[in-house]
Amino acid sequence: IRESATLTRDVLEQHFNDLKGTLKKLLDERLMSLLQEVDAIEQESIKPLDECQKLIEHGVSTADDLLRDGESAVHGDVGQRNEKLCSFTKKALHIQLDSLPEVPSLVDVPCLSAQLDDCLLTILKNQIFSHGTVASRPPVQLEEFVEKPGGILVRWCKVDDDFIAQDYRLQYRKSTASHFEDVYVGSETEFIVLHIDPNVDYQFRVCARGDGRQEWSPWSVPQFGCTTLVPHEWTTGLEGYSLSSRRNIALRNDSQSCGVLYSKAPTYFCGQTLTFRQVLSGQLIETVGQPDRRDSLGVCVEQQNGYDTLQRDKAVCISTNGAVFVNGKEMTNQLPAVTSGSTVTFDMEVVQLGPCSNEGGSFKLRVTISSNNREVVFDWVLDQCCGSLYFGCSFSYPGWKVLVF
């Protein structure tokens, strides 16, 4: 409680300090704009009046000079009087003392003033006093972490019944990292976070966005998750397949070479869910290759070279046309065909029929294969105990791209 309260205080103080700085900057910019507008109107309006004033002052000055000349001619000597009067008369005839420049009427002369609406303070006051909230509990919380090979399934739930969630936002970071990063945004309440290093703590948090709103809710209480399961990897070196850098994605390339691509190690254990997903490449809509009846996705007890499909003994698989094979025999039940974006999952649990030892014995696995919202369930009988299994795939034609997790 104290840690979250301290963090909340810091967030509030920082936010309102930023707001004050931004508001001051905006007010200063608006004041400068209005002052510049006053200067522009003043300069534009005063110019013709200044010119008119100069003309009037010039006329008054000329008339004053002529008046002094007239007084000098009248009061001068009798001998010079006629000459001065003649000069005065000529000068007076050339000066137009009865003309004035056009002076704008009073209604045409600008009179500047500032109109300031006091309701702005009321609006700002209402907005400021309703800005920001303090929540004692986030509306969503992390609920469960499920270990996956090289990943963690994260589940979360709403804890506020009155909150209607439109989207969720999940973030994570390594325990040694300083910043969270987005890993999922959407409407689901669970997500498998891949590319997780085994035996390393990761911190997770989730928030939600209310229906019709733009802002996100407060973050949930951060929680740590970890997986001890090594990631699934395809084996390298098979000519017909190209692998991603993490070796969890296999692409059937244009090579004529064919065969089964197996996992690097028997990393699938009963009780887990093994998932194959057709991956979209770039912006292409159709990313799957041409289907073939020999195509296969599945698990097996051991790697066996010399086969071009998993439709063999000690293996269960699904073909791209939806046919299911157990120990090389096709079942009557069939699943939908595997297409672009399809997800195929294998779930197995142990059902032991007889004594099991290192020397052998009856061993039965209950297998559930799901594809496109349909599933088949059957028992797979083996003559040996299997603590872990290999997975594999085979495609006859190029273009198939499969992610395993």
Side-chain angles (χ1 to χ4, degrees):
I1 294 176
R2 289 193 177 95
E3 182 180 355
S4 63
T6 300
L7 179 60
T8 302
R9 291 188 191 97
D10 293 341
V11 170
L12 288 173
E13 290 175 357
Q14 182 64 46
H15 176 74
F16 277 85
N17 285 333
D18 293 342
L19 274 182
K20 285 190 287 186
T22 302
L23 285 174
K24 184 180 184 306
K25 181 180 178 181
L26 292 174
L27 289 173
D28 289 343
E29 290 178 355
R30 182 55 180 164
L31 174 61
M32 184 60 65
S33 174
L34 292 173
L35 291 177
Q36 290 174 351
E37 189 175 346
V38 171
D39 294 341
I41 295 175
E42 180 185 26
Q43 293 175 6
E44 181 181 357
S45 303
I46 204 69
K47 183 178 180 181
L49 295 177
D50 285 342
E51 293 176 352
C52 183
Q53 182 177 357
K54 289 179 182 179
L55 290 174
I56 293 174
E57 290 175 351
H58 177 71
V60 171
S61 176
T62 302
D64 188 51
D65 292 341
L66 185 62
L67 179 61
R68 283 194 293 269
D69 289 346
E71 291 177 347
S72 176
V74 171
H75 297 95
D77 296 337
V78 176
Q80 297 177 347
R81 184 179 299 170
N82 291 334
E83 182 180 351
K84 288 183 177 181
L85 286 172
C86 182
S87 175
F88 170 78
T89 302
K90 290 180 180 180
K91 188 174 182 182
L93 291 174
H94 287 87
I95 298 176
Q96 295 180 349
L97 297 177
D98 59 347
S99 65
L100 290 172
E102 183 179 359
V103 179
S105 63
L106 190 60
V107 296
D108 295 328
V109 178
C111 180
L112 279 74
S113 63
Q115 285 75 47
L116 301 172
D117 193 348
D118 292 338
C119 72
L120 175 63
L121 293 177
T122 303
I123 296 173
L124 287 177
K125 181 179 179 180
N126 293 334
Q127 290 293 327
I128 289 172
F129 283 138
S130 63
H131 179 67
T133 58
V134 175
S136 60
R137 288 181 178 84
V140 291
Q141 291 285 9
L142 295 168
E143 184 179 30
E144 184 182 16
F145 297 99
V146 180
E147 292 186 53
K148 296 290 182 180
I152 299 175
L153 172 62
V154 184
R155 293 192 176 103
W156 54 89
C157 64
K158 281 199 318 171
V159 294
D160 184 352
D161 294 335
D162 297 329
F163 184 85
I164 301 176
Q166 175 181 315
D167 292 306
Y168 298 98
R169 182 182 179 188
L170 178 66
Q171 290 189 336
Y172 83 129
R173 68 179 178 184
K174 266 189 178 181
S175 57
T176 55
S178 57
H179 298 289
F180 283 91
E181 61 180 274
D182 287 342
V183 69
Y184 173 76
V185 176
S187 59
E188 301 295 329
T189 56
E190 65 177 36
F191 183 75
I192 296 180
V193 183
L194 299 176
H195 306 156
I196 296 292
D197 296 329
N199 303 308
V200 174
D201 285 333
Y202 287 81
Q203 197 173 30
F204 297 85
R205 65 182 185 182
V206 67
C207 66
R209 180 161 49 197
D211 188 24
R213 305 185 68 88
Q214 295 296 321
E215 70 275 9
W216 292 99
S217 73
W219 290 105
S220 66
V221 177
Q223 295 188 41
F224 285 96
C226 177
T227 182
T228 59
L229 306 176
V230 297
H232 291 318
E233 294 183 14
W234 298 104
T235 190
T236 58
L238 191 60
E239 185 178 348
Y241 295 87
S242 304
L243 306 183
S244 63
S245 59
R246 289 182 175 268
R247 296 181 293 279
N248 60 340
I249 300 177
L251 170 65
R252 180 66 166 92
N253 55 35
D254 296 332
S255 173
Q256 297 299 317
S257 176
C258 61
V260 178
L261 177 66
Y262 291 103
S263 57
K264 179 180 177 182
T267 53
Y268 175 63
F269 297 89
C270 293
Q272 298 178 0
T273 297
L274 178 69
T275 303
F276 299 97
R277 179 175 296 165
Q278 292 299 319
V279 183
L280 303 180
S281 300
Q283 300 300 319
L284 298 178
I285 297 176
E286 185 62 42
T287 60
V288 296
Q290 180 181 343
D292 187 277
R293 185 171 179 79
R294 295 169 297 172
D295 296 341
S296 59
L297 286 166
V299 296
C300 57
V301 175
E302 58 192 10
Q303 298 181 359
Q304 291 185 12
N305 298 323
Y307 289 90
D308 60 358
T309 179
L310 281 174
Q311 300 169 16
R312 60 169 176 80
D313 188 36
K314 296 184 179 180
V316 293
C317 65
I318 177 176
S319 177
T320 51
N321 63 7
V324 177
F325 292 85
V326 182
N327 290 332
K329 296 180 180 180
E330 183 175 354
M331 295 182 60
T332 55
N333 293 336
Q334 186 165 331
L335 293 170
V338 178
T339 59
S340 176
S342 291
T343 297
V344 178
T345 62
F346 286 75
D347 290 276
M348 299 188 184
E349 59 177 334
V350 178
V351 180
Q352 188 171 319
L353 292 180
C356 182
S357 65
N358 294 333
E359 288 77 20
S362 298
F363 194 73
K364 182 169 68 173
L365 298 175
R366 184 150 296 158
V367 182
T368 302
I369 305 178
S370 302
S371 177
N372 294 331
N373 297 321
R374 288 181 57 186
E375 65 180 30
V376 294
V377 182
F378 56 90
D379 289 336
W380 181 24
V381 179
L382 299 169
D383 59 1
Q384 64 186 80
C385 294
C386 296
S388 58
L389 298 167
Y390 290 88
F391 57 85
C393 69
S394 65
F395 300 101
S396 300
Y397 297 99
W400 294 93
K401 192 174 186 181
V402 181
L403 165 69
V404 61
F405 58 92

